[in-house]
Amino acid sequence: MDFELLLIILVDGLVYGSYLFMVAVGLTVICGVQKLLNVTHGALYAFGAYLTATLLILYFQVDWPQFGAFAVMLFAALFLGVFFGVIIERGLLRHLYHEDEHIIVLATFAAFLVLEDVLLLIWGTDPYLAPEPLGLLGSTEIAGLPFDNYSLSMVLLSAVVAAVLWYGLNRTQFGKLLLAVIYDRELAQAMGINVNRVFLLTFMLGSFLGALGGAYQAPAISVQPGIGVEVIVLAFAVVVIGGMGSIPGALIGSVIVGVARAFAVHQEPALELFVIYMIMAAVLIVRPQGLFAPAKPRTI
């Protein structure tokens, strides 16, 4: 294997890993704070892709600045994050926090199925294509192959999101509140922290990140039924590898999955999905809590 092929595999892996990170980090934020696996996250990704594709199609029918398409993506993700954050967290999860975690997972899975049907009712079964933003940033030649800068920008966007989340969690007052809730929910509430508000804001943030992943990916894919199912399975794999609730874990897990998938695609395409789940199984055997699982408080 020559250096050029390794470089192409690395670039492909980073691009794919960045796409997974945008979804997985929203999932791990919710999991870390609220201690629940939010299966509806896949539907939020799909809604982000569908709404963005629809708005972009309408946007490019009007003679407006082309780079305004990126503002359209951000608007779609923000709207969906706030809307579904309130609907799902206040309307469903708020009433289940004291139930067994398996009940919560089943409830979010049921909500996911409902949202998948809502997608079909609104957009039908036809694919939506909005590729115009792909050409706005040009392309770059790497190892003799052209890569569109739009896909490469996903790597930069993921790095910015990771840095902002790390700073927000470790250097801001709201981040300190989150850490208090993560380590001991009851004690945090006893100290005067409005845990319900923290949960709502956290779920809205996680929903925004999931929708942003779909919104930014929409121009690069054919937006069609089933994309939410595919991405939520891969995002769960990333979260399991990195560790539940760990933002650095989600980042490293995404890179591992992305590079492993790219290596399989270039060397043995039939093993594309097998490689991902093989890595997940190996990590679970060696370290069941994930590679970078946050430390748990000890009970004395």
Side-chain angles (χ1 to χ4, degrees):
M1 185 182 300
D2 57 24
F3 174 76
E4 290 185 352
L5 180 56
L6 284 174
L7 184 59
I8 292 172
I9 290 174
L10 178 61
V11 174
D12 280 343
L14 288 177
V15 170
Y16 188 77
S18 299
Y19 143 72
L20 285 181
F21 172 76
M22 290 301 299
V23 183
V25 72
L27 188 65
T28 203
V29 165
I30 294 173
C31 180
V33 176
Q34 297 172 253
K35 303 298 188 295
L36 61 90
L37 291 175
N38 177 32
V39 184
T40 62
H41 210 68
L44 298 177
Y45 168 87
F47 265 97
Y50 267 104
L51 181 59
T52 298
T54 303
L55 293 178
L56 288 178
I57 291 172
L58 297 175
Y59 185 85
F60 282 101
Q61 291 176 355
V62 183
D63 188 22
W64 287 345
Q66 291 186 328
F67 280 92
F70 294 98
V72 171
M73 298 176 196
L74 181 60
F75 167 78
L78 282 172
F79 170 77
L80 291 171
V82 173
F83 179 77
F84 282 114
V86 173
I87 294 296
I88 298 174
E89 202 282 333
R90 297 286 88 174
L92 176 64
L93 297 178
R94 182 182 183 182
H95 308 288
L96 298 175
Y97 286 133
H98 299 292
E99 300 291 341
D100 185 81
E101 61 183 14
H102 301 94
I103 300 297
I104 300 178
V105 171
L106 290 175
T108 60
F109 179 68
F112 170 78
L113 296 178
V114 171
L115 291 176
E116 284 287 294
D117 284 340
V118 172
L119 283 170
L120 292 176
L121 287 173
I122 297 175
W123 283 285
T125 58
D126 294 332
Y128 281 70
L129 301 173
E132 289 84 358
L134 286 176
L136 295 180
L137 300 180
S139 62
T140 299
E141 187 173 298
I142 300 176
L145 290 179
F147 288 85
D148 61 274
N149 290 333
Y150 182 89
S151 296
L152 296 177
S153 70
M154 176 69 83
V155 179
L156 177 61
L157 177 62
S158 297
V160 170
V161 168
V164 170
L165 287 176
W166 181 88
Y167 181 85
L169 187 62
N170 294 279
R171 295 291 187 270
T172 66
Q173 182 178 5
F174 182 71
K176 303 298 184 184
L177 296 179
L178 281 182
L179 290 175
V181 174
I182 289 172
Y183 280 100
D184 196 317
R185 183 184 307 177
E186 289 76 16
L187 182 59
Q189 193 163 13
M191 295 296 291
I193 297 175
N194 190 333
V195 174
N196 288 331
R197 181 180 298 174
V198 170
F199 279 2
L200 175 59
L201 293 175
T202 301
F203 197 88
M204 289 170 61
L205 174 61
S207 300
F208 161 70
L209 292 171
L212 181 62
Y216 207 79
Q217 190 71 5
I221 62 174
S222 173
V223 182
Q224 56 190 342
I227 59 174
V229 177
E230 177 184 357
V231 76
I232 191 61
V233 174
L234 293 173
F236 274 139
V238 168
V239 172
V240 168
I241 292 170
M244 297 288 186
S246 171
I247 293 174
L251 182 62
I252 300 301
S254 299
V255 173
I256 292 173
V257 169
V259 173
R261 173 194 173 272
F263 183 85
V265 167
H266 285 274
Q267 295 297 310
E268 195 62 48
L271 300 179
E272 174 185 352
L273 290 178
F274 172 77
V275 168
I276 296 174
Y277 299 121
M278 181 186 69
I279 293 173
M280 182 178 70
V283 169
L284 288 174
I285 292 172
V286 176
R287 191 173 173 83
Q289 68 272 31
L291 296 176
F292 299 93
K296 296 182 179 180
R298 293 184 301 169
T299 301
I300 300 176

